[in-house]
Amino acid sequence: MYKDTYTEEQLGEVIIGLTRQLIGGIWSYTKRERIAAINNFLVNASNYYNMPVPEFEFVEGNEGLQGYSYTGGGITHKTPYGNVKITMYRKFSLTTLLHEFRHAMQLNGLVEGSNEEGFDAEEDAREWSCSLYYNADPTRYMRAVNAGKLRFA
């Protein structure tokens, strides 16, 4: 399972703690609170990894449905200005956000081997995001797996 790829020691207690804080906010009551929790995570996690903070956008409505069906939940890319941007479609998802943040790390050259031929960026992002979610809250992670809410577990 992806959750077993990275250990608590490999991930580090700081990023696990930041993820625990995010878990408390990403499923908050209002959209504003959720976005604030996401932006707080992006700032603090980016500072931890000493990388530029990615831009964040949440897209709803028809465009959100189309983006979700095309991407599975989110996408990370470089803007024309060279900034990294994470876009999340249709619903707030912890796994998607962590997955896309790992892509931001890859784009910033912070993942060993990510510029080498044969590197599987999607597989790496799945492994890292699932391992981080599991280490931050194993009970909630397994509940999501057992409920069929995680496409890649």
Side-chain angles (χ1 to χ4, degrees):
M1 288 185 83
Y2 289 121
K3 73 175 180 61
D4 300 320
T5 306
Y6 290 91
T7 65
E8 184 176 352
E9 292 77 27
Q10 290 171 309
L11 293 165
E13 64 182 63
V14 172
I15 195 66
I16 292 171
L18 292 172
T19 303
R20 285 183 181 131
Q21 289 175 2
L22 175 61
I23 288 169
I26 197 167
W27 294 300
S28 295
Y29 297 106
T30 69
K31 177 180 162 186
R32 175 182 276 169
E33 290 172 324
R34 292 173 181 186
I35 291 173
I38 289 168
N39 283 321
N40 186 58
F41 173 82
L42 292 174
V43 167
N44 290 317
S46 297
N47 288 339
Y48 175 71
Y49 289 110
N50 197 30
M51 65 180 235
V53 179
E55 297 175 22
F56 177 76
E57 179 182 23
F58 180 70
V59 180
E60 298 175 286
N62 287 336
E63 186 181 351
L65 287 171
Q66 291 172 346
Y68 187 85
S69 66
Y70 177 72
T71 67
I75 190 166
T76 300
H77 66 279
K78 288 221 175 191
T79 69
Y81 303 104
N83 302 326
V84 174
K85 182 176 183 179
I86 295 172
T87 304
M88 188 179 292
Y89 296 102
R90 193 176 75 90
K91 64 180 185 174
F92 292 96
S93 165
L94 176 68
T95 310
T96 298
L97 181 67
L98 297 176
H99 180 99
E100 297 307 328
F101 185 79
R102 183 63 167 188
H103 285 313
M105 292 171 65
Q106 293 166 353
L107 288 172
N108 280 291
L110 297 174
V111 177
E112 187 175 334
S114 62
N115 293 323
E116 296 176 12
E117 188 173 330
F119 179 80
D120 190 333
E122 287 301 316
E123 194 73 5
D124 173 70
R126 288 180 196 127
E127 292 168 344
W128 188 84
S129 61
C130 288
S131 293
L132 183 53
Y133 184 175
Y134 178 77
N135 278 277
D137 192 337
T139 302
R140 190 180 297 238
Y141 178 86
M142 292 309 298
R143 194 167 46 230
V145 169
N146 293 332
K149 292 183 177 183
L150 295 180
R151 187 183 312 180
F152 301 100

